[in-house]
Structures are given as structure tokens and as C-alpha cells.
Amino acid sequence: GQRGVGHTGTLDPRATGLLILCVGRATKIAQFVSCCNKSYMADIFLGRSTRTYDAEGLDQSMPLLEPPDMSEAEMADLLSDYVGTMRQQVPAYSAVKVQGRPLYESARRGEDVALPDREIEITSLEMLSYRPPHLKIELKCSKGTYVRSLAHDIGRKLGCGGYLAELRRTEVGGLHVDQAVTLLELQERARTRR
């Protein structure tokens, strides 16, 4: 029954996890929440690249390359290179606008557009497991960080390619996914209040 509902940052279509909604008068704080750092758990598939940097653009006819033979300690050391403040290139398949048009529109038309980059910060990046071809990580990062781009960059650095197979947002600011309600629970609460 609310007229005003605002979100504090979108999720990629295949991503799961926390999406903070501000309802009614709380929509006024959405701009402040959207600036908060975010935490994610991600599964990176190593051995193949995609044009979208995630499973959405997967072309099964592309050759599958063997990830390099690395120990978990070596992989953790490589991941430490991505902690800190850096410039990150925005994926071609994103909603970022260049000359007033979302990049994904240009990408779908096959147009070459100079992809902008932006300053991001990854404050922590931890390897949860490495069982080739899957690398599972947990990270805390600033607003505007594309975990898809991170997956692509790691795969490129390893020389075998990589894409984001799974993504789950676990935290925004101090709010954790364990505190959230599901869409079904929200619908049930709305139904019982009528």
C-alpha cells in the first residue's frame, strides 16, 4: 500500500542476495545507503571468457582452456593484487550511460564504444576455495565495483579467461542478508495486514 518505494542499488539479473528497499518517507535515505560499501560472495569460472563477463554471455562453442596449475596459497597471493584503490573498466554490457545511452544497447548493436573506467576500492578479498575451474571468493568493495569485471580481469591475468558464474550480495553498510525478508515473506506480510 505504499506509493513511494526506492532501492539502493541494483543487482545483476542473475545475482541473488540483499536488495535494500526504502519505503514511504524512508526513500529520502536511499541516496545515503547506496553509497555504503557492499559485500559479495562470488564463484568465478576459470578457463573461458564471455562477452558479458558473466554466464549470461556464455558461448559453449568457445574453447575451454586449462587454468594454470596453482596452489591455494599462490592463488591467494594473486588475489591480494586486487585489494586497494584502483581504476576498473566498466563492462560493455552494463547500464552505465555513454553519450546518454546505456552501454548494453551499444554492445547489443555491435558498436564499438570507448568503455569508461572508474575509481573503486576493494577493502578485502578472501579466497574461500579453489577447485579448478571454480574459484570462490568473498569481497568487500565500494559502490560502483563490478565483480564481473574483477572475474574477467583475474581470468585474463591467469591467461585462461574467466567469468562470473554466481554472485550473491551479502551486506550493504551494516545490513546483512541474514536480516532480510524474502519476497514471499514480504507478500505474506502485506496480505495479512489488509
Side-chain angles (χ1 to χ4, degrees), residues 95-106:
V96 172
K97 291 185 179 178
V98 172
Q99 297 176 345
R101 202 162 87 192
L103 281 170
Y104 65 81
E105 286 183 7
S106 301

Side-chain angles (χ1 to χ4, degrees), residues 38-60:
K38 297 169 177 62
S39 298
Y40 295 94
M41 294 179 77
D43 180 3
I44 300 171
F45 184 94
L46 297 171
R48 188 175 270 150
S49 295
T50 73
R51 68 186 190 286
T52 58
Y53 300 173
D54 63 9
E56 191 78 26
L58 187 59
D59 180 354
Q60 295 287 2

Side-chain angles (χ1 to χ4, degrees), residues 9-82:
T10 60
L11 279 168
D12 283 346
R14 290 186 174 203
T16 63
L18 186 62
L19 180 65
I20 299 189
L21 301 177
C22 297
V23 180
R25 290 185 296 186
T27 56
K28 295 174 183 172
I29 67 162
Q31 61 181 329
F32 304 109
V33 177
S34 65
C35 294
C36 291
N37 285 355
K38 297 169 177 62
S39 298
Y40 295 94
M41 294 179 77
D43 180 3
I44 300 171
F45 184 94
L46 297 171
R48 188 175 270 150
S49 295
T50 73
R51 68 186 190 286
T52 58
Y53 300 173
D54 63 9
E56 191 78 26
L58 187 59
D59 180 354
Q60 295 287 2
S61 67
M62 294 291 290
L64 184 60
L65 302 175
E66 195 71 30
D69 187 22
M70 298 174 76
S71 68
E72 286 195 0
E74 289 171 320
M75 181 59 79
D77 188 51
L78 179 136
L79 292 177
S80 69
D81 292 345
Y82 294 96

Side-chain angles (χ1 to χ4, degrees), residues 4 8 33 66 88 110 118 138 179:
T8 61
V33 177
E66 195 71 30
Q88 185 185 63
R118 53 174 60 157
E138 185 171 21
Q179 301 166 294

